[in-house]
């Protein structure tokens, strides 16, 4: 074989070898202490969580509204007063004597009847907007008290009572009321008869009041046995009451509006006795 042929064959063999190397896939080299190289992947689409309203964790506001001069008295000491949605007094009761008190029945805006919790009832008679007569029954057609009321302007000046509690013919009682220039009660004079006749009236028992403050008195004329609408015995709050056996002294704490918030009672005849305190509550 000629040398020229050998050279041609050698060249062809080298070309084939180089071409084979160009087409071969070469894997990347990794070290034993490295994790294998992974190809990045596209994350799967996610659905956003539904929108929710956070819970209301704000504590309730239990602060009572401020007391104003138009606020209604609901409690004074053990006395409890209840009203309807129109602000009319509908019940009088006592927290320490739950069996006492009464509910009030209206016709229009006028109280016409009281129903006692102990049984029995009271019927009113009016002249204009004033109660001039009240009759208390303990059964059908059975009268135990009869009241007549007299007025000067908005002030009650006389109360005449006929009691049938101890006598079938009745026992007469008369109370006269006096006031100062500000419309505050200064004196109640009470006389009882041994019969139903005025000539048998005894000497009066006198109760005096004084040392009034200049603040509004929120207490309605709602006694244990009757309620008189649109009538007040005092415009302001008394500083003492004297029934003839020593004065009861009253001192007050007030709301910003001037309405009484607390009353403290001390006794002149018993200066070392523990003071008695009454709280006023309003709505």
């Amino acid at each position: 074989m000629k040398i020229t042929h050998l050279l041609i064959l050698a060249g062809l063999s080298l070309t084939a070898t180089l071409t084979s190397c160009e087409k071969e896939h070469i894997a990347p080299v990794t070290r034993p202490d490295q994790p294998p190289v992974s190809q990045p992947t596209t994350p799967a689409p996610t659905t956003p969580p539904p929108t929710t309203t956070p819970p209301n964790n704000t504590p309730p506001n239990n602060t009572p509204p401020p007391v104003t001069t138009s606020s209604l008295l609901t409690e004074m000491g053990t006395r409890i007063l209840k009203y309807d949605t129109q602000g009319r007094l509908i019940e009088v009761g006592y927290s320490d004597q739950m069996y006492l008190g009464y509910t009030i029945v209206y016709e229009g805006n006028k109280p016409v009847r009281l129903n006692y919790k102990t049984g029995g009832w009271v019927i009113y008679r009016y002249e204009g907007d004033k109660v001039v007569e009240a009759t208390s029954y303990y059964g059908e057609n059975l009268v135990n008290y009869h009241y007549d009321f007299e007025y000067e302007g908005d002030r009650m000046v006389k109360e005449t009572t006929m009691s049938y509690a101890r006598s079938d013919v009745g026992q007469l009682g008369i109370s006269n009321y006096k006031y100062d220039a500000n419309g505050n009660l200064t004196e109640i004079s009470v006389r009882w008869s041994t019969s139903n006749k005025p000539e048998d009236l005894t000497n009066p028992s006198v109760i005096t009041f004084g040392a009034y403050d200049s603040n509004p008195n929120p207490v309605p004329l709602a006694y244990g046995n009757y309620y008189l609408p649109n009538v007040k015995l005092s415009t302001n709050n008394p500083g003492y009451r004297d029934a003839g056996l020593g004065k009861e002294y009253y001192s007050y704490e007030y709301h910003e509006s001037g309405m009484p918030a607390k009353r403290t009672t001390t006794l002149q005849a018993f200066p070392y006795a523990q003071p008695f305190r009454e709280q006023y509550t309003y709505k």
Side-chain angles (χ1 to χ4, degrees), residues 151-218:
Y151 303 89
E152 289 182 2
D154 292 333
R155 300 297 173 188
M156 182 174 67
V157 295
K158 186 176 181 180
E159 174 189 338
T160 302
T161 304
M162 189 66 73
S163 170
Y164 299 96
R166 299 180 180 179
S167 170
D168 291 338
V169 297
Q171 184 178 4
L172 177 65
I174 296 178
S175 300
N176 292 286
Y177 298 78
K178 295 182 180 180
Y179 302 85
D180 64 16
N182 294 320
N184 291 315
L185 181 66
T186 58
E187 181 181 292
I188 304 176
S189 174
V190 182
R191 302 173 70 192
W192 279 99
S193 173
T194 56
S195 67
N196 59 356
K197 300 176 182 179
E199 57 265 28
D200 293 329
L201 287 167
T202 61
N203 292 326
S205 298
V206 178
I207 305 171
T208 60
F209 303 82
Y212 282 87
D213 62 14
S214 58
N215 296 62
N217 185 340

Side-chain angles (χ1 to χ4, degrees), residues 1-235:
M1 181 179 294
K2 295 182 180 182
I3 295 173
T4 303
H5 290 168
L6 292 173
L7 293 172
I8 292 172
L9 289 173
L12 290 173
S13 176
L14 179 59
T15 301
T17 299
L18 292 173
T19 302
S20 176
C21 290
E22 287 176 359
K23 293 181 179 181
E24 184 179 0
H25 176 72
I26 301 175
V29 178
T30 60
R31 297 199 325 229
D33 58 346
Q34 285 183 329
V37 177
S38 59
Q39 297 295 325
T41 58
T42 303
T46 59
T47 304
T51 303
T52 59
T53 303
N56 184 7
N57 295 322
T58 304
N61 184 6
N62 295 321
T63 303
V67 174
T68 68
T69 54
S70 60
S71 297
L72 297 174
L73 181 69
T74 57
E75 290 184 43
M76 179 190 174
T78 61
R79 191 189 319 186
I80 300 173
L81 307 173
K82 295 183 180 180
Y83 303 84
D84 63 12
T85 55
Q86 300 179 52
R88 302 179 305 186
L89 184 65
I90 57 172
E91 185 175 342
V92 176
Y94 300 88
S95 60
D96 59 340
Q97 295 176 301
M98 301 297 291
Y99 59 92
L100 294 181
Y102 48 82
T103 57
I104 303 169
V105 180
Y106 286 79
E107 287 184 4
N109 285 321
K110 288 184 176 180
V112 295
R113 176 179 175 129
L114 308 181
N115 291 320
Y116 292 122
K117 295 181 180 180
T118 55
W121 59 93
V122 173
I123 301 296
Y124 285 154
R125 184 176 72 83
Y126 282 82
E127 288 184 5
D129 62 346
K130 293 288 192 302
V131 175
V132 294
E133 185 179 341
T135 305
S136 174
Y137 297 85
Y138 64 96
E140 195 65 34
N141 297 320
L142 298 174
V143 176
N144 51 359
Y145 291 95
H146 183 89
Y147 306 96
D148 291 290
F149 306 103
E150 299 177 29
Y151 303 89
E152 289 182 2
D154 292 333
R155 300 297 173 188
M156 182 174 67
V157 295
K158 186 176 181 180
E159 174 189 338
T160 302
T161 304
M162 189 66 73
S163 170
Y164 299 96
R166 299 180 180 179
S167 170
D168 291 338
V169 297
Q171 184 178 4
L172 177 65
I174 296 178
S175 300
N176 292 286
Y177 298 78
K178 295 182 180 180
Y179 302 85
D180 64 16
N182 294 320
N184 291 315
L185 181 66
T186 58
E187 181 181 292
I188 304 176
S189 174
V190 182
R191 302 173 70 192
W192 279 99
S193 173
T194 56
S195 67
N196 59 356
K197 300 176 182 179
E199 57 265 28
D200 293 329
L201 287 167
T202 61
N203 292 326
S205 298
V206 178
I207 305 171
T208 60
F209 303 82
Y212 282 87
D213 62 14
S214 58
N215 296 62
N217 185 340
V219 183
L221 205 169
Y223 289 151
N225 51 347
Y226 62 75
Y227 160 59
L228 293 182
N230 307 315
V231 177
K232 296 195 74 170
L233 294 181
S234 297
T235 303

Side-chain angles (χ1 to χ4, degrees), residues 203-271:
N203 292 326
S205 298
V206 178
I207 305 171
T208 60
F209 303 82
Y212 282 87
D213 62 14
S214 58
N215 296 62
N217 185 340
V219 183
L221 205 169
Y223 289 151
N225 51 347
Y226 62 75
Y227 160 59
L228 293 182
N230 307 315
V231 177
K232 296 195 74 170
L233 294 181
S234 297
T235 303
N236 308 115
N237 304 284
Y240 72 81
R241 174 185 182 272
D242 188 356
L245 299 175
K247 292 180 179 179
E248 296 178 1
Y249 292 108
Y250 307 126
S251 60
Y252 299 87
E253 297 176 22
Y254 302 94
H255 292 280
E256 290 186 5
S257 60
M259 298 286 272
K262 182 184 295 185
R263 185 175 79 172
T264 301
T265 302
T266 55
L267 303 177
Q268 183 183 41
F270 302 95

